Amino acid sequence: MPATATPPVLTARALLLDMDGTLVNSDAVVERIWRRWAERHGLDGDEVMKVVHGRQGHASMAVLLPGRPVEQNLADNARMLAEETADTDGVVEIPGARAFLAALAGLPHALVTSADVALSTARMNAAGLPLPAVRVTAESVGASKPDPEGFLKGAAELGVDPADCVVFEDSGAGIAAGRSAGMTVVGVGPRAVLHDPDVAVRDLTQVRVEAGADGVLRLHIG
């Protein structure tokens, strides 16, 4: 985030939170599994890693192997999800995530992730983080980020207008999804700043949540 005289304050009635790269640092396992996949398919690992963050696995495969049948991508994705769920070595919280979620207890918020139920549960548990009561996972949507469906569903489940939601995201696909949903986007971490979120933070230690009696959440950034 560029230095400003006064750190920004965002307002919202609900927060929609991505998981990988936003609450949980799972980069180590994502790198291991996707680079193995890239090698099996004769693809450049560095180029593959530019695509996979934020999307469901089969959607990434469709970008990387555009001629491959959808059914093959779905089957391959199911195998990779099982690998990812079993491998939590190196999965840790993003700095500030535990305190941030604690501050949101009792306030309107949802997890909106491209992971499925099993993977999101495994990674949040491995990082020692509580799962929000409202969760939109891969099983909940027909289209992966950058489609806005997941964020719109999260807003609907919380009963909040999309324009009154703030999204926390780390990836280009996720930031695009939040924008398409008509929401303000806070980018978390170094990947996010490459995609021009509305506000960028190094990690969640730079966000403080204040709940007003009027139901408005004020996010103090910086």
Side-chain angles (χ1 to χ4, degrees), residues 14-18 22 108-112 150-155 158 162 165-169 181 183:
L15 306 185
L16 303 177
L17 316 174
D18 175 50
T22 301
H109 69 288
L111 187 72
V112 181
F151 287 125
L152 293 173
K153 281 201 167 185
L158 293 170
C165 295
V166 170
V167 165
F168 283 75
E169 263 287 357
M183 302 172 180

Side-chain angles (χ1 to χ4, degrees), residues 86-126:
D87 184 356
T88 56
D89 187 26
V91 174
V92 296
E93 69 163 319
I94 294 291
R98 190 175 289 107
F100 179 65
L101 288 171
L104 294 180
L107 302 177
H109 69 288
L111 187 72
V112 181
T113 175
S114 295
D116 64 6
V117 169
L119 181 57
S120 58
T121 302
R123 286 189 175 162
M124 291 290 280
N125 287 343

Side-chain angles (χ1 to χ4, degrees), residues 2 13 15 25 33 37 40 59 68 74 79 81-82 97 110 134 159 168 176 192 205-206 210:
R13 290 193 174 273
L15 306 185
N25 183 345
I33 286 175
W37 182 89
R40 286 198 299 271
R68 200 161 77 145
L74 291 171
R79 287 189 292 270
L81 279 171
V134 177
F168 283 75
T205 63
Q206 293 188 299
E210 177 188 4

Side-chain angles (χ1 to χ4, degrees), residues 17-24 94 97 168-171 188 204:
L17 316 174
D18 175 50
M19 181 182 71
D20 292 301
T22 301
L23 298 173
V24 170
I94 294 291
F168 283 75
E169 263 287 357
D170 75 301
S171 70
V188 181
L204 294 172

Side-chain angles (χ1 to χ4, degrees), residues 2 4 6 68 97 99 107-109 127 131 151 155 171 191 197 209 214 222:
T4 57
T6 305
R68 200 161 77 145
L107 302 177
H109 69 288
L131 278 161
F151 287 125
S171 70
R191 274 193 297 269
V209 181
D214 55 0

Side-chain angles (χ1 to χ4, degrees), residues 25-116:
N25 183 345
S26 57
D27 282 1
V29 60
V30 171
E31 288 265 348
R32 282 195 295 273
I33 286 175
W34 275 101
R35 285 185 182 277
R36 285 203 299 265
W37 182 89
E39 187 175 355
R40 286 198 299 271
H41 292 88
L43 299 175
D44 181 88
D46 291 339
E47 294 303 312
V48 166
M49 295 313 301
K50 292 176 183 177
V51 171
V52 300
H53 292 290
R55 291 180 170 88
Q56 292 185 38
H58 64 83
S60 295
M61 293 171 192
V63 172
L64 293 161
L65 297 173
R68 200 161 77 145
V70 172
E71 295 76 14
Q72 197 171 343
N73 289 339
L74 291 171
D76 211 358
N77 182 56
R79 287 189 292 270
M80 288 185 68
L81 279 171
E83 286 183 58
E84 289 184 281
T85 302
D87 184 356
T88 56
D89 187 26
V91 174
V92 296
E93 69 163 319
I94 294 291
R98 190 175 289 107
F100 179 65
L101 288 171
L104 294 180
L107 302 177
H109 69 288
L111 187 72
V112 181
T113 175
S114 295
D116 64 6

